[in-house]
Amino acid sequence: FFNIAATCFILSILTTRFVYPMLSLEGRGFWTVGLAPVPRTRVVWQKYVLCLLLCLLVSIPLIILSNEVLQVDASYRGISIGVMVIMSLGLTSLSIGIGALVPDFKEDNPARIANGLGGTLNVLLSLAYIAVSVGSIGFLVVVLQTPGELGPRMERW
């Protein structure tokens, strides 16, 4: 689960640095996007889908490679890939959502946008989301594999 958490932290850093400032980087030219014959919500959804696909393109091979290096069991490999898909959905949603709620159209430097109030909020919420998600999934796996009162008995060998 440390493997999953480390991959999620990498994904959190990438989404905070690159996904969160996407809407703010439209800058003062954002009014031109408003002139397009498409609703602004569609623009946000297009950015979301693009970022989600890129996050999946980064996170899935990374978790597969780390599982291979650590020689993780097949059942845990499936769990870790499923968790990475869910975490990619969540972290991308969080970054795009906060970026849409707290845009900074005056700044043109993405590093300054990510280091602002919204970027800091994004990092803190991302870390909390990772801790709760990976912790609860780890707890469930441990409970289901512990013999006795906590979970069903499972034959080890």
Side-chain angles (χ1 to χ4, degrees):
F1 291 101
F2 182 76
N3 177 27
I4 295 171
T7 307
C8 289
F9 288 138
I10 292 169
L11 189 60
S12 170
I13 291 166
L14 290 174
T15 56
T16 299
R17 175 63 176 87
F18 297 110
V19 176
Y20 166 73
M22 282 186 77
L23 289 170
S24 295
L25 288 175
E26 299 289 338
R28 295 187 177 145
F30 189 72
W31 66 272
T32 58
V33 175
L35 293 177
V38 292
R40 289 185 182 139
T41 56
R42 186 168 179 187
V43 173
V44 174
W45 276 106
Q46 287 174 344
K47 288 182 185 291
Y48 172 73
V49 170
L50 173 70
C51 293
L52 176 63
L53 293 176
L54 291 173
C55 285
L56 288 172
L57 218 80
V58 169
S59 63
I60 298 299
L62 187 60
I63 197 73
I64 290 172
L65 178 66
S66 61
N67 283 337
E68 189 65 34
V69 168
L70 294 173
Q71 298 176 352
V72 175
D73 291 338
S75 61
Y76 290 119
R77 288 179 190 215
I79 290 171
S80 64
I81 291 171
V83 168
M84 287 315 300
V85 169
I86 292 169
M87 295 304 287
S88 294
L89 284 164
L91 290 172
T92 304
S93 300
L94 190 64
S95 294
I96 289 285
I98 293 176
L101 285 175
V102 190
D104 184 8
F105 295 126
K106 296 177 184 172
E107 188 63 53
D108 59 352
N109 185 352
R112 287 187 185 164
I113 295 170
N115 288 334
L117 177 66
T120 304
L121 178 66
N122 187 30
V123 168
L124 294 175
L125 290 176
S126 295
L127 294 178
Y129 175 63
I130 291 168
V132 168
S133 298
V134 174
S136 61
I137 291 170
F139 178 76
L140 285 175
V141 168
V142 168
V143 165
L144 291 175
Q145 288 191 347
T146 303
E149 295 178 12
L150 290 177
R153 294 191 180 268
M154 298 181 73
E155 295 296 324
R156 297 275 180 191
W157 284 249

